[in-house]
């Protein structure tokens, strides 16, 4: 207790070198400075908070190694939300995704635009399955990650 968090470290770097590049994701054609990373991750944190995410909630992240994933990591850390990564390359049936959400007691799932077709099908079929299974809360939030710039 009393140590620095990853968000404390980001805040300090924003103060010291706001325009220094911290994130480069070539396949996303993205180059962000410390200030930009903070801006985007803070905006996502505010959005998650507005959706009801609180400290200790679990957010499954079905994303690859990309801008959205890094942003989600910092946003979750800012709120004290547990980010539970799911490998983007894993083929997941709707039932399998439902099992993951249930076993991790997820408050929500954030997924990437870059899911393969079977991944999108699993997400699209998830809500009907969730309504049939009492173990999964009907209020589980599904968020599609999209970079805004």
């Amino acid at each position: 207790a009393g140590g620095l968090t990853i968000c404390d470290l980001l805040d300090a770097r924003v103060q010291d070198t706001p325009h220094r590049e911290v994130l480069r994701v070539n396949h996303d054609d993205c180059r962000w400075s410390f200030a930009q990373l903070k801006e985007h991750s803070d905006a996502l944190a505010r959005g998650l908070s507005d959706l009801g995410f609180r400290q200790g909630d679990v957010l499954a992240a079905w994303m690859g190694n990309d801008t959205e994933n890094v942003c989600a990591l910092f946003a979750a850390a800012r709120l004290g939300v547990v980010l539970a990564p799911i490998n983007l390359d894993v083929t997941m049936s709707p039932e399998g995704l439902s099992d993951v959400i249930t076993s991790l007691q997820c408050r929500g799932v954030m997924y990437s635009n870059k899911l393969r077709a079977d991944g999108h099908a699993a997400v699209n079929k998830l809500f009907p399955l969730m309504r049939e299974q009492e173990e999964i809360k009907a209020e589980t939030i599904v968020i599609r990650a999209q970079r805004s710039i």
Side-chain angles (χ1 to χ4, degrees), residues 20-77:
R20 183 172 182 189
E21 185 178 292
V22 63
L23 178 64
R24 181 184 297 185
V25 182
N26 292 332
H27 63 271
D28 275 347
D29 195 29
C30 171
R31 295 171 76 144
W32 281 356
S33 67
F34 283 103
Q36 289 170 307
L37 175 57
K38 179 175 172 37
E39 176 186 340
H40 291 288
S41 61
D42 284 356
L44 179 56
R46 285 189 301 275
L48 291 172
S49 179
D50 289 348
L51 289 171
F53 283 89
R54 301 291 178 257
Q55 184 173 356
D57 286 341
V58 178
L59 175 62
W62 196 6
M63 298 185 277
N65 294 326
D66 55 23
T67 315
E68 294 87 357
N69 197 2
V70 174
C71 194
L73 170 74
F74 279 94

Side-chain angles (χ1 to χ4, degrees), residues 55-118:
Q55 184 173 356
D57 286 341
V58 178
L59 175 62
W62 196 6
M63 298 185 277
N65 294 326
D66 55 23
T67 315
E68 294 87 357
N69 197 2
V70 174
C71 194
L73 170 74
F74 279 94
R78 180 87 51 201
L79 295 175
V81 169
V82 177
L83 194 68
I86 302 172
N87 187 331
L88 185 65
D89 295 325
V90 171
T91 299
M92 187 84 60
S93 68
E95 294 81 7
L97 186 55
S98 179
D99 289 346
V100 168
I101 291 168
T102 300
S103 66
L104 294 175
Q105 299 178 344
C106 294
R107 171 88 169 98
V109 178
M110 180 178 289
Y111 71 97
S112 173
N113 275 352
K114 300 169 186 121
L115 284 178
R116 297 186 318 231
D118 58 339

